[in-house]
Amino acid sequence: MTVYRVVQEALTNAYRHGEGAATVDVGQRDGRICVTVENRVGHSLRGSGSGSGLGLVGMRERVESSSGRLTIDSDDGRFRVHAEFSPLGAVVR
């Protein structure tokens, strides 16, 4: 469910703040579930500061509560959300 909600929120941000089509990549690497959503940075992320930022906070809280890691960046004119989740059944201490 957390993976679904992260993709949903990332796509919402891409629609509201980005330009052009977003790409979504969901896969598995070394037993971890990896999710990346990215698109071109839109005008609202280039300095207007619109948006509350609470969607990003919510994504981070969801991912961390599932023993995952979330990175968000906007390098090279692209806005990127990347989440990695521990393998199912893994014990996290």
Side-chain angles (χ1 to χ4, degrees), residues 49-76:
S50 67
S52 67
L54 294 177
L56 300 178
V57 171
M59 268 195 289
R60 185 171 307 284
E61 289 173 352
R62 279 187 190 93
V63 171
E64 289 176 356
S65 73
S66 298
S67 302
R69 185 178 66 212
L70 181 74
T71 55
I72 300 166
D73 64 61
S74 57
D75 295 338
D76 64 8

Side-chain angles (χ1 to χ4, degrees), residues 7-23:
V7 171
Q8 184 180 40
E9 181 64 35
L11 286 173
T12 298
N13 286 341
Y15 175 75
R16 287 184 182 163
H17 306 295
E19 294 179 348
T23 60

Side-chain angles (χ1 to χ4, degrees), residues 36-54:
T36 304
V37 177
E38 69 175 272
N39 69 323
R40 287 192 316 261
V41 172
H43 297 293
S44 66
L45 288 177
R46 289 189 184 136
S48 73
S50 67
S52 67
L54 294 177

